[in-house]
Amino acid sequence: MSEQPADRPAAPVAAEPSGVDLARVALRAAKEQARARGAAAQEKKQARRGGGLRSGARADGRDPMALGAAINRLITERGWETPAAVGGVMGRWPQIVGEDVAKHCVPLKFDDEPDVRVLTVQCDSTAWATQLRLLAPRLVARLNEDLGHGTVRMIKVLGPGAPRRGYGPLRAPGSVGPGDTYG
């Protein structure tokens, strides 16, 4: 181990930027501003010539692209990342929850408002609805693992729908129910 001599002070831990460092930062900022002004002037000159960008040997935004890249670009530009990811989850539902649960529980919709973020699932029996309610915390964790933290906050489990009410043959046409007799 080598020790420093007592007459020599230790090097400062956090040094203030010196004049040279400040000059480098200022030069870098000036270069970026000049580059931006030059690009704007170039675009203005090309627009006066009536052509803008011309097709050439270099790639530009008008070149054809693969379908997957075009779709990814569209999703990013429109801000559809979360709905697209949730749609992918709905397509992979059996792999996420398992074949047995997927036979009896189906995802219906995803409410992607920032303060809500609820995935609604409908089950074909009350027993499966209860089972899914018990599995909901683990399922939310699994979905957020796939989609990103906080994408799904809650799972709303719906039981089987009630059978549709059929009207019997003794119903009067135009009747609104038992309340229509007493006016």
Side-chain angles (χ1 to χ4, degrees):
M1 259 171 56
S2 65
E3 293 185 18
Q4 288 184 336
D7 61 338
R8 198 166 169 201
V13 177
E16 293 291 321
S18 67
V20 175
D21 294 330
L22 293 174
R24 285 184 184 142
V25 170
L27 178 63
R28 189 178 308 125
K31 282 182 178 180
E32 288 174 6
Q33 289 175 353
R35 195 174 297 124
R37 282 193 307 269
Q42 184 70 19
E43 288 175 11
K44 192 174 180 182
K45 187 188 296 183
Q46 287 178 348
R48 273 191 302 225
R49 283 192 232 155
L53 292 174
R54 303 209 188 278
S55 180
R58 294 188 183 96
D60 62 11
R62 299 172 298 152
D63 288 343
M65 61 175 60
L67 180 62
I71 289 174
N72 287 339
R73 181 176 165 188
L74 179 69
I75 287 172
T76 303
E77 286 174 355
R78 302 284 168 99
W80 295 340
E81 289 93 356
T82 301
V86 172
V89 165
M90 290 187 177
R92 295 181 294 123
W93 184 252
Q95 290 87 17
I96 293 172
V97 297
E99 292 292 328
D100 204 25
V101 175
K103 288 178 190 174
H104 301 283
C105 303
V106 180
L108 295 179
K109 66 178 181 172
F110 176 71
D111 190 5
D112 64 341
E113 292 181 26
D115 56 335
V116 179
R117 296 189 178 192
V118 175
L119 177 65
T120 304
V121 179
Q122 184 163 23
C123 300
D124 61 1
S125 71
T126 55
W128 279 104
T130 302
Q131 180 69 22
L132 197 65
R133 283 185 190 104
L134 294 172
L135 291 174
R138 280 190 267 162
L139 190 56
V140 167
R142 170 79 167 95
L143 290 170
N144 285 330
E145 195 177 286
D146 268 4
L147 303 173
H149 181 68
T151 305
V152 177
R153 291 190 179 164
M154 189 173 87
I155 294 180
K156 181 178 179 183
V157 180
L158 304 176
R164 188 169 172 181
R165 183 174 170 191
Y167 298 110
L170 300 177
R171 184 157 176 93
S175 173
V176 293
D180 67 349
T181 310
Y182 301 105

